[in-house]
Amino acid sequence: MHGRHIIGMLYGSAAQGRQDGFCGNQGNPGACGQVKVVSFFSGLGGLDKGFLDTGYEIIWANDFDKFAVQTYRANFGAHMVLGDINEIPLAEIPDGDVMIGGFPCQPFSMMGHQKGFEDARGTLFFRIAQILQDKIEKGRKPRAVILENVRSLKTHDKGNTYREIHRILEQELGYHVFCEILNSADYGVPQTRNRTYIVCFDEEVAYAFPPKQELDRTLQDLLEPEVDQKYFLSDKILPTILSGGTGGYRAKSEIDLKIARPLCATMAKMHRACQDNYVTQNGRIRRLTPRECARLQGFEDSFVIPVSDCQAYKQFGNAVTVNVARAVAQSVKDTLQGMGAWTE
């Protein structure tokens, strides 16, 4: 389904796009079993785990990174599909009660022209919108959609990117849209990690984002007591890591922070201490281990890490913090229950 054909099709009642006989999108999907979730841009499964922990069933997930897929499958199962979401036929994407995904932030090429989905063409959000539109046309409209993105989404391209996303979700797809920036440190994890969460429902509801929680642990509480020597910094690289930058870029380098800086996907490159996290152990300075990064993203130690350190750093740097995902999943569950769209 492309561009102009979609414009103006989706105004009307909140029930529009839901077909009688479709258990997953009838008013009471839980009566047929667990509320079913379809996941996009799933990575190693941080967002998915938050929903699994809250009682949802992930029936299908997708990512194009073969190493992230390897980690996901090792922990959650074979319902993860490897491939480019733009190349997967719409007919192969199953119906779900809830759709979730952490899509990349990309500029829109035709911003402000108000040409329906064409404003988003070429972006991965456009593909999400296409998938939703396809489900709506088939009477399989998801009751809720939860999207995660970087903190700067609302200011990206002078705010145009988010305005188009909001407009398409609301005016083109008929969802009621809520948006908030949530920090991992406010949900029990000692990491400053602000991310934009967009929560949508197919009918008008009084939704509230999850309340903040008191942080009762520090980065030091999550450190492994003994680690391999390879994680310690050599005398040669130490001055570079601890420097404040070069040229026009200067920043204060700090180590042993109580609340970690945001984990990033390029941690394997070992940035300066003004960007990455370093700690002192037995009088020596070292980087974080992949297991410590997993803990900083809310994963238990039972979480399997089947890939190299380089890939693990990338995956945990890209991950959604499980604690935040779980809190959002619970708030969505509470709302679905209020809608009569969830039963235990």
Side-chain angles (χ1 to χ4, degrees):
M1 175 64 59
H2 294 290
R4 299 176 189 276
H5 182 64
I6 299 170
I7 304 173
M9 291 176 58
L10 301 174
Y11 298 91
S13 69
Q16 184 176 9
R18 296 204 304 275
Q19 186 180 82
D20 289 347
F22 174 44
C23 174
N25 280 334
Q26 274 294 83
N28 193 1
C32 305
Q34 287 178 290
V35 171
K36 294 174 174 57
V37 176
V38 173
S39 171
F40 301 97
F41 317 109
S42 310
L44 54 59
L47 188 58
D48 294 34
K49 179 166 172 51
F51 278 76
L52 283 167
D53 289 351
T54 317
Y56 299 76
E57 178 187 4
I58 311 293
I59 61 170
W60 191 89
N62 166 252
D63 204 275
F64 73 99
D65 185 318
K66 66 179 182 180
F67 296 108
V69 168
Q70 180 184 355
T71 302
Y72 188 105
R73 287 175 176 168
N75 289 278
F76 304 114
H79 59 270
M80 161 61 85
V81 175
L82 172 63
D84 183 343
I85 191 61
N86 288 309
E87 303 299 325
I88 297 175
L90 293 174
E92 294 183 11
I93 299 172
D95 304 325
D97 308 304
V98 176
M99 179 186 291
I100 65 175
F103 68 101
C105 181
Q106 299 169 290
F108 293 168
S109 60
M110 302 176 65
M111 204 63 62
H113 291 198
Q114 299 293 295
K115 294 185 178 180
F117 286 4
E118 288 188 8
D119 281 348
R121 186 174 298 283
T123 70
L124 289 169
F125 174 76
F126 175 75
R127 186 57 172 171
I128 292 175
Q130 279 186 314
I131 293 166
L132 284 168
Q133 173 62 19
D134 179 68
K135 298 303 181 188
I136 290 169
E137 290 183 344
K138 295 174 180 176
R140 306 293 197 261
K141 184 177 184 178
R143 302 303 308 268
V145 178
I146 296 87
L147 303 174
E148 183 266 359
N149 208 291
V150 296
R151 177 180 187 171
S152 60
L153 174 66
K154 294 190 76 170
T155 57
H156 185 257
D157 190 24
K158 300 180 180 179
N160 287 324
T161 300
Y162 176 73
R163 277 193 290 271
E164 278 303 293
I165 289 171
H166 188 282
R167 186 186 66 79
I168 289 171
L169 288 168
E170 187 174 76
Q171 297 182 20
E172 300 288 336
L173 296 171
Y175 281 99
H176 296 268
V177 182
F178 303 83
C179 183
E180 188 65 81
I181 295 173
L182 304 179
N183 183 3
S184 297
D186 292 325
Y187 296 92
V189 174
Q191 179 194 175
T192 299
R193 189 178 190 84
N194 291 288
R195 291 293 184 269
T196 301
Y197 285 81
I198 302 171
V199 176
C200 314
F201 295 95
D202 72 333
E203 62 182 71
E204 189 170 354
V205 295
Y207 174 74
F209 280 92
K212 295 179 180 180
Q213 305 166 12
E214 184 175 353
L215 184 62
D216 60 0
R217 65 183 67 184
T218 67
L219 168 58
Q220 286 66 34
D221 293 324
L222 304 186
L223 299 181
E224 297 185 86
E226 300 290 337
V227 304
D228 193 287
Q229 290 298 308
K230 67 181 180 180
Y231 297 109
F232 288 91
L233 305 186
S234 68
D235 292 338
K236 181 178 181 180
I237 197 174
L238 190 57
T240 300
I241 295 297
L242 296 180
S243 69
T246 58
Y249 178 80
R250 307 292 296 181
K252 184 179 181 181
S253 288
E254 294 179 288
I255 63 173
D256 298 318
L257 295 174
K258 300 299 182 184
I259 300 178
R261 289 187 176 87
L263 301 184
C264 65
T266 56
M267 285 183 288
K269 296 182 178 180
M270 294 181 64
H271 301 289
R272 290 182 171 86
C274 55
Q275 296 174 265
D276 270 348
N277 294 287
Y278 297 91
V279 296
T280 304
Q281 191 171 54
N282 300 325
R284 298 173 62 194
I285 298 174
R286 67 171 178 84
R287 67 198 306 186
L288 299 179
T289 69
R291 178 58 63 192
E292 290 163 347
C293 293
R295 293 172 179 176
L296 279 169
Q297 290 288 42
F299 291 94
E300 299 96 340
D301 286 356
S302 58
F303 188 83
V304 178
I305 305 175
V307 295
S308 68
D309 280 6
C310 183
Q311 290 297 328
Y313 284 129
K314 177 182 177 182
Q315 291 174 27
F316 289 117
N318 280 329
V320 174
T321 304
V322 175
N323 294 43
V324 183
R326 188 185 301 119
V328 171
Q330 182 62 55
S331 67
V332 171
K333 178 178 179 179
D334 293 342
T335 303
L336 290 173
Q337 288 175 327
M339 294 163 57
W342 184 299
T343 58
E344 297 295 344

